[in-house]
Amino acid sequence: MQWEHILDVNAASAADTNNDPQERLLAQLITVRTVMFQGKDCGLDDMDWQGLFSWLGIKVPKDAEGSHHYGDYSPTLKRWWKRTSAALDTTTPVHNALTLLCEHIADLLQLGVLETRLLMLTWLRLRYPQMNPVLACVEHTRTKKLLAQLTGHNSDEVHLCLQEHGRLLMLGLLSYQHNLRALDLDDSLTAGHMLLSLAPLVNHDVKALSSSALRGYITERLMSLCPTQPPGAFTLASFDAVPLRQLTVDYLRQALDTQQAGANVLIYGEPGVGKTELVKALASLLSVPLYGVPVVDNNDEMLTPSKRLSRYQVVQKLIDRRPGLIMFDEIEDVINDEEALPKGWMNQLLENNSTPALWVSNSVHWLDPAYLRRFDMIIEVKAQHGEQAKAHYCQLLNELPVTPQGRQQLALQPWMTPAAADQLCRLGRLFNPRTPKRNEQHIDTLMTHRLRALGKSLSRTQNDKTLATGPTMPAYRIEWLNTRPGLENIVQRLTRRQRGRLCLHGLPGSGKTALAQHLAKILGCELITAHASSLLDKYVGGTEEKLAALFAQAREKGAVLLLDEVDTLLMQRDNSMQSWEISHTNELLVQIENFDGILLATTNRVDSLDRAVMRRFDLKVEFLPLAPEPLRDLLKEVLPARDHQRLATIPNSHLAQRSLTPGNVRTALDQLDLRGLPIRLNTLMDALALEEREQHGKRQPIGFV
């Protein structure tokens, strides 16, 4: 910056001379016409008059110096008007850089003649601040009449054009004013954010450009308001948990081919499950560009709801002539803001858009039903589970410096999403690649704190110890379980039938929950686990509502449903139960009776269950202690190789006398780890003996005996 720029009081007028002479003359004529329209009601002071006359290039009359009365200046103004208008060819239209730009913008945004002329007046006012003192003098009672005269339209048309639902305001070309009934001319012609973003265009040498080149230049400038989104990282096949994927593709393809109006899809789901990536995958499959409505502008400043809506509507009109999709992400703030979006306008947006739009939200519970009815398709995106999802997450976590087992366990976590995998990989760059086990401990601590902050817990399965410290259990094997009847044929039949209700009972830790996990894995579906204690509600009727919602969720997802400790809910009804206890027991019986999927209920107290309950189950499976050979195989998996020969010498008759379960083995391993003892055959057998005594009540005497 130079001092001379600050001290030069003529800098503004000097810069003004660089503008198109025709454009400047148009601004001057409009300003003088406004002064003459006001007449004696013109409220300019002597400084305003001097500035106006200086801009017009005429001298202030000597007898008018220091005056603010219109009558002292009007004769000179009228002579200027007469002389200037006589030199103009009134039979030819006004043609300059500004009018050329306005005509192209009006055609691209489908503006009418009146809207185009109001746009031109606003742009002139923006470029020539010398007009402002005069415009500010026109009171709201005369604003529409003056604009009608300047544009050649009637006052009613001007009134409708300046309404908050008018295109100039909704497209952001004019600024939205809250008190629309009492606007003076200065307020009515206030440039909106969209016009401000286009203002630099007029500084280019647009006359040197061909009409098609100028049109393309303006189009690209406007299209940049909703930038083209980069390709997604996933294909549509990656979203196997999303229902109606192919129908969505067919719907969007037909809407593009037929130019269907009002084609809208609402996609919702919890943060991080991949909603945006799904939209990108749809656009990639359809081979069309995806335009995204941004949340921040190029300067990283937050866009207001009205600005985001303006950008959406502008691009809707521009994209009308080319193939593509528009994604409006994070719609919560926009649709909830009635000042930014009058309620009737949302319906209009969803009924008249010419380009298919995909609206993305974290939830739909807050949306007005009137809005929801206008979406042709509403799709929920959920976190993916199952074998395919596990392989997908393992691939996403490939760069994470952990063990292969740790990566697989992370992929199985219920909280795992594409966003969570991306976050872990970013943090993983800070980990030491030579300490994968320690890195797993860091991740365990990190996710514990994160989930706790989100009001969730870091739940683990029976075999999920890879992310924690201490010894680990081997992978699940169904042949290790000792049940009556045997499980192999039962699992095959359940896999084929896709339905069945089983009551699993037996010793704690004998593998009942593990069977449910195994079934869900081989079926490739989600496992929903509900502990009976978590379903009990302190309010009358609350338990019944929770039960109904649980079974409805399992039906909707096609999941394996596991009711753990079901005896808490299904005690015998003849044992002096309260009326509400009988009520929720009856509700559970009805839900079990009507459930057509796979239901597993576990209990350690099968004798306490109501007889009517037992009739609802297709099969009762008893889980017994491990047989000698499966017990030997399990011990071999957890013991070091140097103990395998000694383990083989233990006779089956000795192992048959033990009443042990896989849960006992896991607990014994943890016990040795906490005591700092090595996992060897003798220490493990001692720990198992202690576990067996505790489980079956065979306690050693205490004290001086």
Side-chain angles (χ1 to χ4, degrees), residues 585-613:
T585 298
N586 290 338
E587 174 67 23
L588 182 53
L589 292 178
V590 171
Q591 292 292 347
I592 293 175
E593 183 77 28
N594 296 329
F595 188 65
D596 56 356
I598 295 180
L599 168 67
L600 304 178
T602 70
T603 178
N604 298 327
R605 305 168 59 192
V606 67
D607 295 336
S608 65
L609 294 184
D610 192 292
R611 288 186 297 274
V613 172

PDB file of all heavy atoms in Angstrom, residues 585-613:
ATOM      1  N   THR A 585     -43.967 -61.462  30.365  1.00  0.00           N
ATOM      2  CA  THR A 585     -43.720 -62.864  30.000  1.00  0.00           C
ATOM      3  C   THR A 585     -44.616 -63.276  28.839  1.00  0.00           C
ATOM      4  O   THR A 585     -44.170 -63.916  27.874  1.00  0.00           O
ATOM      5  CB  THR A 585     -43.963 -63.787  31.205  1.00  0.00           C
ATOM      6  OG1 THR A 585     -43.046 -63.451  32.254  1.00  0.00           O
ATOM      7  CG2 THR A 585     -43.759 -65.246  30.818  1.00  0.00           C
ATOM      8  N   ASN A 586     -45.896 -62.884  28.932  1.00  0.00           N
ATOM      9  CA  ASN A 586     -46.820 -63.199  27.845  1.00  0.00           C
ATOM     10  C   ASN A 586     -46.393 -62.524  26.542  1.00  0.00           C
ATOM     11  O   ASN A 586     -46.506 -63.104  25.462  1.00  0.00           O
ATOM     12  CB  ASN A 586     -48.240 -62.759  28.216  1.00  0.00           C
ATOM     13  CG  ASN A 586     -48.839 -63.626  29.320  1.00  0.00           C
ATOM     14  OD1 ASN A 586     -48.402 -64.758  29.523  1.00  0.00           O
ATOM     15  ND2 ASN A 586     -49.818 -63.093  30.037  1.00  0.00           N
ATOM     16  N   GLU A 587     -45.913 -61.276  26.638  1.00  0.00           N
ATOM     17  CA  GLU A 587     -45.462 -60.564  25.440  1.00  0.00           C
ATOM     18  C   GLU A 587     -44.298 -61.299  24.784  1.00  0.00           C
ATOM     19  O   GLU A 587     -44.249 -61.456  23.553  1.00  0.00           O
ATOM     20  CB  GLU A 587     -45.038 -59.137  25.812  1.00  0.00           C
ATOM     21  CG  GLU A 587     -44.406 -58.340  24.677  1.00  0.00           C
ATOM     22  CD  GLU A 587     -45.379 -58.024  23.555  1.00  0.00           C
ATOM     23  OE1 GLU A 587     -46.603 -58.013  23.810  1.00  0.00           O
ATOM     24  OE2 GLU A 587     -44.919 -57.787  22.418  1.00  0.00           O
ATOM     25  N   LEU A 588     -43.358 -61.777  25.590  1.00  0.00           N
ATOM     26  CA  LEU A 588     -42.217 -62.491  25.044  1.00  0.00           C
ATOM     27  C   LEU A 588     -42.649 -63.797  24.402  1.00  0.00           C
ATOM     28  O   LEU A 588     -42.147 -64.194  23.338  1.00  0.00           O
ATOM     29  CB  LEU A 588     -41.187 -62.749  26.138  1.00  0.00           C
ATOM     30  CG  LEU A 588     -39.896 -63.465  25.701  1.00  0.00           C
ATOM     31  CD1 LEU A 588     -39.250 -62.758  24.518  1.00  0.00           C
ATOM     32  CD2 LEU A 588     -38.917 -63.562  26.858  1.00  0.00           C
ATOM     33  N   LEU A 589     -43.610 -64.478  25.010  1.00  0.00           N
ATOM     34  CA  LEU A 589     -44.111 -65.720  24.420  1.00  0.00           C
ATOM     35  C   LEU A 589     -44.734 -65.468  23.053  1.00  0.00           C
ATOM     36  O   LEU A 589     -44.522 -66.235  22.102  1.00  0.00           O
ATOM     37  CB  LEU A 589     -45.136 -66.368  25.354  1.00  0.00           C
ATOM     38  CG  LEU A 589     -44.595 -66.923  26.676  1.00  0.00           C
ATOM     39  CD1 LEU A 589     -45.727 -67.475  27.518  1.00  0.00           C
ATOM     40  CD2 LEU A 589     -43.552 -67.997  26.418  1.00  0.00           C
ATOM     41  N   VAL A 590     -45.491 -64.383  22.938  1.00  0.00           N
ATOM     42  CA  VAL A 590     -46.119 -64.047  21.657  1.00  0.00           C
ATOM     43  C   VAL A 590     -45.051 -63.723  20.613  1.00  0.00           C
ATOM     44  O   VAL A 590     -45.132 -64.159  19.459  1.00  0.00           O
ATOM     45  CB  VAL A 590     -47.086 -62.856  21.837  1.00  0.00           C
ATOM     46  CG1 VAL A 590     -47.573 -62.356  20.472  1.00  0.00           C
ATOM     47  CG2 VAL A 590     -48.271 -63.264  22.694  1.00  0.00           C
ATOM     48  N   GLN A 591     -44.026 -62.957  21.013  1.00  0.00           N
ATOM     49  CA  GLN A 591     -42.969 -62.585  20.071  1.00  0.00           C
ATOM     50  C   GLN A 591     -42.196 -63.818  19.597  1.00  0.00           C
ATOM     51  O   GLN A 591     -41.860 -63.938  18.413  1.00  0.00           O
ATOM     52  CB  GLN A 591     -42.016 -61.577  20.722  1.00  0.00           C
ATOM     53  CG  GLN A 591     -42.625 -60.217  20.990  1.00  0.00           C
ATOM     54  CD  GLN A 591     -42.939 -59.455  19.726  1.00  0.00           C
ATOM     55  OE1 GLN A 591     -42.504 -59.812  18.635  1.00  0.00           O
ATOM     56  NE2 GLN A 591     -43.734 -58.403  19.870  1.00  0.00           N
ATOM     57  N   ILE A 592     -41.908 -64.738  20.531  1.00  0.00           N
ATOM     58  CA  ILE A 592     -41.199 -65.972  20.151  1.00  0.00           C
ATOM     59  C   ILE A 592     -42.048 -66.796  19.196  1.00  0.00           C
ATOM     60  O   ILE A 592     -41.561 -67.337  18.194  1.00  0.00           O
ATOM     61  CB  ILE A 592     -40.843 -66.795  21.409  1.00  0.00           C
ATOM     62  CG1 ILE A 592     -39.801 -66.058  22.264  1.00  0.00           C
ATOM     63  CG2 ILE A 592     -40.318 -68.176  21.024  1.00  0.00           C
ATOM     64  CD1 ILE A 592     -39.492 -66.739  23.583  1.00  0.00           C
ATOM     65  N   GLU A 593     -43.348 -66.871  19.481  1.00  0.00           N
ATOM     66  CA  GLU A 593     -44.262 -67.659  18.656  1.00  0.00           C
ATOM     67  C   GLU A 593     -44.313 -67.134  17.225  1.00  0.00           C
ATOM     68  O   GLU A 593     -44.378 -67.916  16.264  1.00  0.00           O
ATOM     69  CB  GLU A 593     -45.667 -67.616  19.267  1.00  0.00           C
ATOM     70  CG  GLU A 593     -46.695 -68.457  18.533  1.00  0.00           C
ATOM     71  CD  GLU A 593     -46.563 -69.938  18.832  1.00  0.00           C
ATOM     72  OE1 GLU A 593     -46.095 -70.291  19.939  1.00  0.00           O
ATOM     73  OE2 GLU A 593     -46.894 -70.738  17.939  1.00  0.00           O
ATOM     74  N   ASN A 594     -44.254 -65.801  17.069  1.00  0.00           N
ATOM     75  CA  ASN A 594     -44.430 -65.185  15.750  1.00  0.00           C
ATOM     76  C   ASN A 594     -43.120 -64.908  15.030  1.00  0.00           C
ATOM     77  O   ASN A 594     -43.137 -64.408  13.900  1.00  0.00           O
ATOM     78  CB  ASN A 594     -45.209 -63.871  15.888  1.00  0.00           C
ATOM     79  CG  ASN A 594     -46.615 -64.090  16.405  1.00  0.00           C
ATOM     80  OD1 ASN A 594     -47.233 -65.125  16.141  1.00  0.00           O
ATOM     81  ND2 ASN A 594     -47.132 -63.120  17.143  1.00  0.00           N
ATOM     82  N   PHE A 595     -42.007 -65.228  15.663  1.00  0.00           N
ATOM     83  CA  PHE A 595     -40.719 -64.915  15.040  1.00  0.00           C
ATOM     84  C   PHE A 595     -40.378 -65.989  14.010  1.00  0.00           C
ATOM     85  O   PHE A 595     -40.372 -67.183  14.318  1.00  0.00           O
ATOM     86  CB  PHE A 595     -39.626 -64.845  16.105  1.00  0.00           C
ATOM     87  CG  PHE A 595     -38.310 -64.331  15.584  1.00  0.00           C
ATOM     88  CD1 PHE A 595     -38.193 -63.032  15.124  1.00  0.00           C
ATOM     89  CD2 PHE A 595     -37.190 -65.148  15.546  1.00  0.00           C
ATOM     90  CE1 PHE A 595     -36.982 -62.550  14.646  1.00  0.00           C
ATOM     91  CE2 PHE A 595     -35.976 -64.678  15.077  1.00  0.00           C
ATOM     92  CZ  PHE A 595     -35.877 -63.375  14.626  1.00  0.00           C
ATOM     93  N   ASP A 596     -40.079 -65.548  12.776  1.00  0.00           N
ATOM     94  CA  ASP A 596     -39.826 -66.510  11.697  1.00  0.00           C
ATOM     95  C   ASP A 596     -38.361 -66.550  11.282  1.00  0.00           C
ATOM     96  O   ASP A 596     -38.024 -67.071  10.210  1.00  0.00           O
ATOM     97  CB  ASP A 596     -40.687 -66.176  10.478  1.00  0.00           C
ATOM     98  CG  ASP A 596     -40.469 -64.748   9.992  1.00  0.00           C
ATOM     99  OD1 ASP A 596     -39.700 -64.005  10.647  1.00  0.00           O
ATOM    100  OD2 ASP A 596     -41.069 -64.374   8.978  1.00  0.00           O
ATOM    101  N   GLY A 597     -37.467 -66.014  12.124  1.00  0.00           N
ATOM    102  CA  GLY A 597     -36.042 -66.078  11.836  1.00  0.00           C
ATOM    103  C   GLY A 597     -35.362 -67.095  12.730  1.00  0.00           C
ATOM    104  O   GLY A 597     -35.970 -68.087  13.148  1.00  0.00           O
ATOM    105  N   ILE A 598     -34.093 -66.870  13.025  1.00  0.00           N
ATOM    106  CA  ILE A 598     -33.335 -67.766  13.910  1.00  0.00           C
ATOM    107  C   ILE A 598     -33.214 -67.104  15.272  1.00  0.00           C
ATOM    108  O   ILE A 598     -32.658 -66.009  15.396  1.00  0.00           O
ATOM    109  CB  ILE A 598     -31.947 -68.072  13.326  1.00  0.00           C
ATOM    110  CG1 ILE A 598     -32.096 -68.861  12.018  1.00  0.00           C
ATOM    111  CG2 ILE A 598     -31.099 -68.855  14.325  1.00  0.00           C
ATOM    112  CD1 ILE A 598     -30.777 -69.209  11.360  1.00  0.00           C
ATOM    113  N   LEU A 599     -33.759 -67.759  16.277  1.00  0.00           N
ATOM    114  CA  LEU A 599     -33.753 -67.261  17.650  1.00  0.00           C
ATOM    115  C   LEU A 599     -33.049 -68.271  18.540  1.00  0.00           C
ATOM    116  O   LEU A 599     -33.394 -69.459  18.535  1.00  0.00           O
ATOM    117  CB  LEU A 599     -35.184 -67.032  18.141  1.00  0.00           C
ATOM    118  CG  LEU A 599     -35.353 -66.781  19.648  1.00  0.00           C
ATOM    119  CD1 LEU A 599     -34.714 -65.457  20.047  1.00  0.00           C
ATOM    120  CD2 LEU A 599     -36.822 -66.820  20.046  1.00  0.00           C
ATOM    121  N   LEU A 600     -32.069 -67.789  19.299  1.00  0.00           N
ATOM    122  CA  LEU A 600     -31.381 -68.619  20.292  1.00  0.00           C
ATOM    123  C   LEU A 600     -31.563 -67.962  21.654  1.00  0.00           C
ATOM    124  O   LEU A 600     -31.310 -66.773  21.812  1.00  0.00           O
ATOM    125  CB  LEU A 600     -29.888 -68.732  19.958  1.00  0.00           C
ATOM    126  CG  LEU A 600     -29.525 -69.269  18.568  1.00  0.00           C
ATOM    127  CD1 LEU A 600     -28.018 -69.279  18.381  1.00  0.00           C
ATOM    128  CD2 LEU A 600     -30.085 -70.666  18.365  1.00  0.00           C
ATOM    129  N   ALA A 601     -32.028 -68.739  22.610  1.00  0.00           N
ATOM    130  CA  ALA A 601     -32.195 -68.248  23.972  1.00  0.00           C
ATOM    131  C   ALA A 601     -31.308 -69.074  24.893  1.00  0.00           C
ATOM    132  O   ALA A 601     -31.333 -70.304  24.839  1.00  0.00           O
ATOM    133  CB  ALA A 601     -33.656 -68.350  24.398  1.00  0.00           C
ATOM    134  N   THR A 602     -30.510 -68.418  25.721  1.00  0.00           N
ATOM    135  CA  THR A 602     -29.598 -69.124  26.614  1.00  0.00           C
ATOM    136  C   THR A 602     -30.072 -68.993  28.056  1.00  0.00           C
ATOM    137  O   THR A 602     -30.644 -67.970  28.455  1.00  0.00           O
ATOM    138  CB  THR A 602     -28.172 -68.560  26.507  1.00  0.00           C
ATOM    139  OG1 THR A 602     -28.127 -67.249  27.075  1.00  0.00           O
ATOM    140  CG2 THR A 602     -27.720 -68.494  25.057  1.00  0.00           C
ATOM    141  N   THR A 603     -29.818 -70.028  28.820  1.00  0.00           N
ATOM    142  CA  THR A 603     -30.150 -70.009  30.244  1.00  0.00           C
ATOM    143  C   THR A 603     -29.282 -71.019  30.978  1.00  0.00           C
ATOM    144  O   THR A 603     -28.891 -72.046  30.409  1.00  0.00           O
ATOM    145  CB  THR A 603     -31.643 -70.317  30.477  1.00  0.00           C
ATOM    146  OG1 THR A 603     -31.904 -70.335  31.889  1.00  0.00           O
ATOM    147  CG2 THR A 603     -32.020 -71.669  29.888  1.00  0.00           C
ATOM    148  N   ASN A 604     -28.981 -70.718  32.208  1.00  0.00           N
ATOM    149  CA  ASN A 604     -28.290 -71.671  33.080  1.00  0.00           C
ATOM    150  C   ASN A 604     -29.259 -72.311  34.074  1.00  0.00           C
ATOM    151  O   ASN A 604     -28.845 -73.089  34.924  1.00  0.00           O
ATOM    152  CB  ASN A 604     -27.167 -70.963  33.851  1.00  0.00           C
ATOM    153  CG  ASN A 604     -26.118 -70.391  32.915  1.00  0.00           C
ATOM    154  OD1 ASN A 604     -25.852 -70.957  31.859  1.00  0.00           O
ATOM    155  ND2 ASN A 604     -25.532 -69.261  33.300  1.00  0.00           N
ATOM    156  N   ARG A 605     -30.561 -71.934  33.956  1.00  0.00           N
ATOM    157  CA  ARG A 605     -31.561 -72.425  34.908  1.00  0.00           C
ATOM    158  C   ARG A 605     -32.782 -72.914  34.131  1.00  0.00           C
ATOM    159  O   ARG A 605     -33.875 -72.387  34.260  1.00  0.00           O
ATOM    160  CB  ARG A 605     -31.946 -71.300  35.869  1.00  0.00           C
ATOM    161  CG  ARG A 605     -30.762 -70.687  36.593  1.00  0.00           C
ATOM    162  CD  ARG A 605     -31.166 -69.401  37.310  1.00  0.00           C
ATOM    163  NE  ARG A 605     -32.214 -69.641  38.282  1.00  0.00           N
ATOM    164  CZ  ARG A 605     -32.909 -68.657  38.873  1.00  0.00           C
ATOM    165  NH1 ARG A 605     -32.666 -67.407  38.553  1.00  0.00           N
ATOM    166  NH2 ARG A 605     -33.855 -68.943  39.761  1.00  0.00           N
ATOM    167  N   VAL A 606     -32.609 -73.919  33.331  1.00  0.00           N
ATOM    168  CA  VAL A 606     -33.688 -74.383  32.467  1.00  0.00           C
ATOM    169  C   VAL A 606     -34.868 -74.915  33.275  1.00  0.00           C
ATOM    170  O   VAL A 606     -36.028 -74.827  32.835  1.00  0.00           O
ATOM    171  CB  VAL A 606     -33.162 -75.457  31.492  1.00  0.00           C
ATOM    172  CG1 VAL A 606     -32.775 -76.725  32.235  1.00  0.00           C
ATOM    173  CG2 VAL A 606     -34.183 -75.741  30.393  1.00  0.00           C
ATOM    174  N   ASP A 607     -34.617 -75.438  34.462  1.00  0.00           N
ATOM    175  CA  ASP A 607     -35.707 -76.010  35.264  1.00  0.00           C
ATOM    176  C   ASP A 607     -36.676 -74.950  35.759  1.00  0.00           C
ATOM    177  O   ASP A 607     -37.813 -75.273  36.126  1.00  0.00           O
ATOM    178  CB  ASP A 607     -35.136 -76.773  36.471  1.00  0.00           C
ATOM    179  CG  ASP A 607     -34.328 -77.992  36.043  1.00  0.00           C
ATOM    180  OD1 ASP A 607     -34.585 -78.481  34.925  1.00  0.00           O
ATOM    181  OD2 ASP A 607     -33.444 -78.422  36.806  1.00  0.00           O
ATOM    182  N   SER A 608     -36.233 -73.674  35.774  1.00  0.00           N
ATOM    183  CA  SER A 608     -37.100 -72.620  36.287  1.00  0.00           C
ATOM    184  C   SER A 608     -38.019 -72.036  35.224  1.00  0.00           C
ATOM    185  O   SER A 608     -38.868 -71.206  35.527  1.00  0.00           O
ATOM    186  CB  SER A 608     -36.253 -71.488  36.882  1.00  0.00           C
ATOM    187  OG  SER A 608     -35.481 -70.853  35.877  1.00  0.00           O
ATOM    188  N   LEU A 609     -37.848 -72.451  33.967  1.00  0.00           N
ATOM    189  CA  LEU A 609     -38.635 -71.864  32.889  1.00  0.00           C
ATOM    190  C   LEU A 609     -40.062 -72.406  32.897  1.00  0.00           C
ATOM    191  O   LEU A 609     -40.311 -73.566  33.202  1.00  0.00           O
ATOM    192  CB  LEU A 609     -37.989 -72.156  31.533  1.00  0.00           C
ATOM    193  CG  LEU A 609     -36.630 -71.517  31.276  1.00  0.00           C
ATOM    194  CD1 LEU A 609     -36.171 -71.812  29.857  1.00  0.00           C
ATOM    195  CD2 LEU A 609     -36.677 -70.014  31.505  1.00  0.00           C
ATOM    196  N   ASP A 610     -40.983 -71.533  32.517  1.00  0.00           N
ATOM    197  CA  ASP A 610     -42.390 -71.889  32.424  1.00  0.00           C
ATOM    198  C   ASP A 610     -42.576 -72.991  31.367  1.00  0.00           C
ATOM    199  O   ASP A 610     -41.927 -72.975  30.328  1.00  0.00           O
ATOM    200  CB  ASP A 610     -43.187 -70.631  32.031  1.00  0.00           C
ATOM    201  CG  ASP A 610     -44.686 -70.830  32.190  1.00  0.00           C
ATOM    202  OD1 ASP A 610     -45.249 -71.623  31.423  1.00  0.00           O
ATOM    203  OD2 ASP A 610     -45.266 -70.183  33.060  1.00  0.00           O
ATOM    204  N   ARG A 611     -43.489 -73.916  31.643  1.00  0.00           N
ATOM    205  CA  ARG A 611     -43.702 -75.026  30.705  1.00  0.00           C
ATOM    206  C   ARG A 611     -44.212 -74.516  29.361  1.00  0.00           C
ATOM    207  O   ARG A 611     -43.886 -75.069  28.310  1.00  0.00           O
ATOM    208  CB  ARG A 611     -44.701 -76.024  31.305  1.00  0.00           C
ATOM    209  CG  ARG A 611     -44.136 -76.833  32.461  1.00  0.00           C
ATOM    210  CD  ARG A 611     -45.120 -77.901  32.903  1.00  0.00           C
ATOM    211  NE  ARG A 611     -46.357 -77.296  33.407  1.00  0.00           N
ATOM    212  CZ  ARG A 611     -46.524 -76.896  34.674  1.00  0.00           C
ATOM    213  NH1 ARG A 611     -45.522 -77.026  35.541  1.00  0.00           N
ATOM    214  NH2 ARG A 611     -47.672 -76.369  35.068  1.00  0.00           N
ATOM    215  N   ALA A 612     -45.022 -73.453  29.393  1.00  0.00           N
ATOM    216  CA  ALA A 612     -45.515 -72.886  28.133  1.00  0.00           C
ATOM    217  C   ALA A 612     -44.377 -72.306  27.312  1.00  0.00           C
ATOM    218  O   ALA A 612     -44.436 -72.278  26.079  1.00  0.00           O
ATOM    219  CB  ALA A 612     -46.555 -71.799  28.423  1.00  0.00           C
ATOM    220  N   VAL A 613     -43.353 -71.866  28.012  1.00  0.00           N
ATOM    221  CA  VAL A 613     -42.189 -71.310  27.324  1.00  0.00           C
ATOM    222  C   VAL A 613     -41.495 -72.403  26.531  1.00  0.00           C
ATOM    223  O   VAL A 613     -41.149 -72.234  25.352  1.00  0.00           O
ATOM    224  CB  VAL A 613     -41.222 -70.680  28.346  1.00  0.00           C
ATOM    225  CG1 VAL A 613     -39.922 -70.274  27.660  1.00  0.00           C
ATOM    226  CG2 VAL A 613     -41.869 -69.492  29.023  1.00  0.00           C
TER     227      VAL A 613
END
